[in-house]
Each structure stands twice: as C-alpha cells, then as structure tokens.
C-alpha cells in the first residue's frame, strides 16, 4: 500500500507541476477569448486541477465506496489524458519558436513569417488549435460511449476452466456467468432482452449471478423482473449478493425500512427462480457425482460498510466434495481470504465493471481500475486456485461504456489439468 500511495502522490505532483507550463499554452490557444487572460481564468484552472487531483487522493486513501473512488479516478485519468494530448503540440510550438530564435541570432537578421494568404493561420495558432482538438478526444470518446449504445453492446467471453479434480460426469459442462445488473440504471428494455437472449442462446447447463442486482432499491427491478425471470438453466441459476444490494448507500429513516427493502430484494431472487446462496452451499449432482456451489454475502477489502460474508459457514460440511465453486461479489475477497482456503477451486466475482472505461483485447487489458483492484477483469490463477472477474452486465454512474463492454461469460468445465501449465513445467 505504501508503494501505491507513493506512486499516486508522485503522479499528482507531476500533474500539478505540468499545469504551470500547460496553462500558458492554453492561454495561447484561447488568446482571442479575453477571459483567458484574466486572473479569474487562472483561479478556475488551478481550482479545478487541485480539486480533481486532491479528490483522487481522498478517494484512494479515505473510506469511500467503489462508485465514488472509480468516478474520481476516471475523471482524473481523463483530465490527465486531455493534458497529455495537448502537451506535444505545445512542446512542438515552443521548440519551433526556439529554433527560429536561434536561427535569427546566427544570421543576425529578423525572420518574418509570411502567410501564404490573408486567410492563412499562423503556425503557432495552428499548433495550439490542433492541440485543443486533440485534447477534446477523451471527452468526445466519453460522449460517444453514452450515445452509441455501447452500454448494451453485450459481449460473450468464452473460457475453459481446467479442474483436475472435476468428476467425469461434469466434464464439458457449460457454465454461464453474469454480474452487476444494476437495474436502476437501465432505460432500454429491448436491449436488455437482447442480452438475456444472447445468454440463453449459449444453452448453459447452469448460470451464476455474482451480485448487485440493483443500485439501491428493490423496486428498481419492478420493470425487469419478468425479463430476468427468463434466465433459466437445466441445473439451476445460483446467485449471490453484492454491496449495492443491501441498500447501504441510502439514508433510510430507520433500520426497519432498510430491512424491508432488503427482504424485498431477496424475494425478487426467489420470484425469478434464482437460488440465492447466503453464506451457505449447494450440492450439485450429475450422474451420481457431486460438486459444491458455495455463495457468500458481500465481502470486500475496501468496503466502507461491514462485511457480511462468512466463508467459514459456506465451506462447512463440504470436505467430501472434490470441487468447490465460490460465488463472491468482490474480487478483493480472493486474495484477502479465499486463497487461504485451498479447497476452493474457483471464485467467480464482478464488482469492478472494468470502470466501464479502458482497453480490452484478446492479448491486452487495461483500465484505471487496475490501480484499485489487482484482479479486475478476466481469469487469474494462484497455485491451483482460480478467480474470474466479470466486468458486468449493467452500468453505474457513467451511463455508458468505452472499451470495456458489458459481458456474458461462458465457461466450459474440463476434468483435466491446464495443458499450458504442463508445458511450462
């Protein structure tokens, strides 16, 4: 944590130091705007920079929820990216003018740039305006992520889970996972139905849902319960709770009101035919053989609210099961606690959303969320244990996605060791 803190502080200091240089270029780019040369312009610029940079520090080191932390980090990275795209144009103009002055001194003559025509743009103005155009790309991208419908552009991710102890009756079983529905953010029923149909077309044998059905209130599912009731599988749909499902982010008039809301949310899982596992386990039987499906309530290392997950209760009386699959919403639970229980073969999580912003290809994944969560998207392995983090079906806060698209994961279970690990050995 000390290393991460030092890195963030160093980045913040560099950003603030760069501002003393960048504000000059911004004034040059906006020289026709009289306000850019005023004292108020400097105050607004510096206040915004300090507020965003300071907000990043507070969100990283204070007890804040993931949504607030992610929002500040996203704003900070967009702010830095905007400056980074403007900086090369400003440097190019300064270098050009420095070379020009050197040439003037060497020739001891005055060199005057003449425009090709009365309407031509001076070179400095051209570079500064090109810099402004480049700097607008991040914000343009965020706007595109909102209006393009990418928040509903569901992607099927296919993975093979190699499990040496998996009973042969389960070999080739198809498992689907969705996470983080966040129904309170939806506004496009047709697209949501399309995502459900996409999942069902894969014909999974069983399905996991790994938490955050709503943003805060159980009634958010009022218009979507019938849609997600269609999510069925021959061996069942198993679900767990996420941090948003408890209603902790709302200031309830009393505890009884919060509990009623929570009870309604639990009832919603039941009404949809989903088996909600709360600090418990289920025995899944196929062909006379069994594996364990474990589920814990929300447990997160960075939680600002009490952790309700009880892994000790979930694994109780499961010693005879050769494979145990765990549903736990927050991926930080894996490294903090689950890895100390080697009998748990795979943990399935969500929570991070991939910050709904970043780059994700077959060979490369990056998002600012990686500076909060070491495991934030995709498949991870530590020894014989595995973790898969689904980047979410829905969205929260930012009403779009850019680069990190909503995910439906399809796993094929294999009763064998991972051949890639055998090659490495």
């Amino acid at each position: 944590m000390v290393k991460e803190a030092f890195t963030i502080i160093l980045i913040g200091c560099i950003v603030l130091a760069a501002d003393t240089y960048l504000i000059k270029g911004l004034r040059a780019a906006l020289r026709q705007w009289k306000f850019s040369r005023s004292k108020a312009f400097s105050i607004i610029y510096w206040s915004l920079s300090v507020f965003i940079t300071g907000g990043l520090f507070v969100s990283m080191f204070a007890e804040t929820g993931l949504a607030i932390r992610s929002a500040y980090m996203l704003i900070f990275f967009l702010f830095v990216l905007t400056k980074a795209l403007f900086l090369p144009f400003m440097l190019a103009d300064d270098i050009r003018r420095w070379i020009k002055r050197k040439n003037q001194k060497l020739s001891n003559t005055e060199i005057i740039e003449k425009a090709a025509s009365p309407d031509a743009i001076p070179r400095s103005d051209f570079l500064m305006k090109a810099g402004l155009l480049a700097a607008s790309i991040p914000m343009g991208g965020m706007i595109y992520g909102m209006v393009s419908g990418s928040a509903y552009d569901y992607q099927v991710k296919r993975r093979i889970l190699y499990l040496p102890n998996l009973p042969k009756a389960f070999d080739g079983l198809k498992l689907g996972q969705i996470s983080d529905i966040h129904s309170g953010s939806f506004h496009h029923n047709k697209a949501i139905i399309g995502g459900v149909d996409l999942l069902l077309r894969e014909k999974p044998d069983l399905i996991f849902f790994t938490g955050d059905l709503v943003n805060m209130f159980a009634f958010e599912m009022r218009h979507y319960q019938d849609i997600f009731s269609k999510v069925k599988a021959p061996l069942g749909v198993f679900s767990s709770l996420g941090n948003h499902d408890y209603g902790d982010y709302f200031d309830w008039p009393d505890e009884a009101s919060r509990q009623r809301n929570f009870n309604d949310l639990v009832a919603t899982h039941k009404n949809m035919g989903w088996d909600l596992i709360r600090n418990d386990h289920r025995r899944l039987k196929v062909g006379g053989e069994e594996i364990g499906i474990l589920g814990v309530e929300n447990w997160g290392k960075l939680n600002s609210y009490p952790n309700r997950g009880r892994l000790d209760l979930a694994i109780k009386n499961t010693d005879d099961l050769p494979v145990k699959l765990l549903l736990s919403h927050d991926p930080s639970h894996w490294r903090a606690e689950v890895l100390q229980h080697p009998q748990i073969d795979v943990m399935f999580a969500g929570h991070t959303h991939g910050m709904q912003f970043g780059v994700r290809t077959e060979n490369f994944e990056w998002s600012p969320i990686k500076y909060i969560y070491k495991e934030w998207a995709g498949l991870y392995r530590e020894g014989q244990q595995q973790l898969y983090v689904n980047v979410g079906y829905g969205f929260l806060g930012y009403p779009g996605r850019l680069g990190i698209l909503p995910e439906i994961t399809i796993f094929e279970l294999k009763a064998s060791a991972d051949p890639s690990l055998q090659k490495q050995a």
Side-chain angles (χ1 to χ4, degrees):
M1 186 65 183
V2 175
K3 182 180 178 181
E4 288 83 350
F6 176 78
T7 301
I8 292 170
I9 291 171
L10 180 62
I11 291 172
C13 291
I14 292 171
V15 169
L16 290 175
D19 280 327
T20 59
Y21 176 66
L22 287 166
I23 192 171
K24 296 177 182 178
L26 192 59
R27 278 201 169 106
L30 301 172
R31 64 164 57 94
Q32 293 178 340
W33 187 31
K34 186 177 179 181
F35 180 71
S36 68
R37 300 187 296 276
S38 68
K39 186 177 181 181
F41 179 84
S42 296
I43 293 172
I44 292 172
Y45 181 91
W46 282 107
S47 297
L48 184 63
S49 186
V50 170
F51 175 76
I52 292 175
T53 306
L56 176 69
F57 295 155
V58 172
S59 67
M60 289 298 293
F61 304 123
E63 287 292 326
T64 58
L66 177 66
I68 295 174
R69 186 170 298 168
S70 297
Y72 263 115
M73 182 163 276
L74 179 57
I75 292 169
F76 178 78
F77 270 90
L78 286 173
F79 199 51
V80 170
L81 183 58
T82 297
K83 294 176 182 181
L85 290 171
F86 181 62
L87 185 61
F89 293 89
M90 188 175 171
L91 284 170
D93 185 53
D94 282 346
I95 291 170
R96 184 193 68 81
R97 286 189 284 110
W98 179 81
I99 293 173
K100 177 184 173 183
R101 285 196 297 271
K102 283 291 183 182
N103 288 337
Q104 287 177 354
K105 289 180 180 179
L106 288 172
S107 62
N108 199 29
T109 59
E110 183 179 357
I111 298 175
I112 302 173
E113 286 187 32
K114 292 185 178 181
S117 71
D119 297 325
I121 302 175
R123 291 178 190 174
S124 287
D125 281 358
F126 173 78
L127 286 170
M128 291 298 99
K129 285 180 170 56
L132 281 180
L133 184 62
S136 68
I137 291 174
M139 186 56 66
M142 295 299 288
I143 294 171
Y144 174 80
M146 290 188 289
V147 303
S148 67
S150 59
Y152 302 96
D153 187 10
Y154 304 104
Q155 303 291 301
V156 175
K157 296 285 184 181
R158 304 180 193 280
R159 296 283 184 177
I160 297 176
L161 283 180
Y162 293 97
L163 301 164
N165 298 326
L166 186 71
K168 292 298 181 182
F170 291 86
D171 187 56
L173 200 77
K174 191 180 285 188
L175 163 64
Q177 182 196 4
I178 57 173
S179 191
D180 298 85
I181 287 174
H182 286 288
S183 55
S185 300
F186 287 151
H187 53 80
H188 199 318
N189 284 30
K190 187 175 180 180
I192 299 162
I193 293 170
V196 170
D197 290 341
L198 188 61
L199 168 62
L200 296 179
R201 279 200 297 272
E202 295 293 324
K203 300 187 185 307
D205 298 294
L206 72 159
I207 296 171
F208 290 168
F209 170 71
T210 44
D212 277 359
L213 188 64
V214 299
N215 292 345
M216 282 188 292
F217 308 111
F219 67 72
E220 293 169 15
M221 280 296 290
R222 180 174 49 204
H223 300 299
Y224 308 106
Q225 181 173 302
D226 289 345
I227 295 173
F228 287 101
S229 293
K230 297 176 182 178
V231 175
K232 305 287 186 187
L235 297 178
V237 179
F238 301 91
S239 59
S240 61
L241 296 168
N243 54 305
H244 282 265
D245 293 323
Y246 298 93
D248 287 338
Y249 298 102
F250 181 72
D251 187 16
W252 299 95
D254 50 57
E255 176 58 23
S257 299
R258 190 198 70 80
Q259 189 60 48
R260 278 195 300 272
N261 179 75
F262 180 69
N263 291 343
D264 289 343
L265 181 126
V266 171
T268 300
H269 283 255
K270 184 177 181 181
N271 294 339
M272 294 189 300
W274 296 6
D275 187 354
L276 179 61
I277 311 178
R278 300 172 59 189
N279 299 327
D280 204 348
H281 69 273
R282 305 287 186 264
R283 289 173 174 266
L284 188 66
K285 183 178 289 188
V286 174
E289 297 183 293
E290 291 182 323
I291 64 172
I293 310 296
L294 287 61
V296 294
E297 297 200 37
N298 189 63
W299 196 106
K301 187 177 180 181
L302 303 177
N303 264 3
S304 55
Y305 292 95
N307 286 319
R308 298 171 171 90
R310 290 286 304 275
L311 189 57
D312 58 324
L313 297 179
I315 63 176
K316 190 176 180 180
N317 300 323
T318 63
D319 290 344
D320 62 313
L321 295 170
V323 165
K324 301 174 187 67
L325 308 179
L326 172 67
L327 283 68
S328 181
H329 177 68
D330 190 321
S332 67
H333 189 204
W334 188 62
R335 194 163 293 280
E337 190 174 50
V338 174
L339 286 178
Q340 282 72 60
H341 297 269
Q343 69 269 42
I344 296 174
D345 297 273
V346 188
M347 172 177 148
F348 299 85
H351 186 57
T352 70
H353 299 209
M355 202 181 273
Q356 298 165 211
F357 172 81
V359 179
R360 196 177 189 197
T361 67
E362 287 298 320
N363 302 311
F364 180 76
E365 293 182 332
W366 178 88
S367 167
I369 197 69
K370 69 175 291 184
Y371 303 110
I372 302 177
Y373 285 90
K374 186 174 182 179
E375 293 83 23
W376 61 275
L379 188 64
Y380 302 86
R381 179 185 288 274
E382 191 87 13
Q384 295 301 311
Q385 293 176 272
Q386 300 176 75
L387 163 70
Y388 191 85
V389 184
N390 179 294
V391 297
Y393 188 93
F395 53 91
L396 179 68
Y398 168 52
R401 284 180 177 263
L402 187 61
I404 306 293
L405 299 174
E407 177 178 355
I408 295 166
T409 320
I410 302 296
F411 302 94
E412 182 183 358
L413 305 188
K414 283 289 185 181
S416 65
D418 189 334
S420 65
L421 296 179
Q422 293 175 332
K423 289 179 182 178
Q424 292 174 10

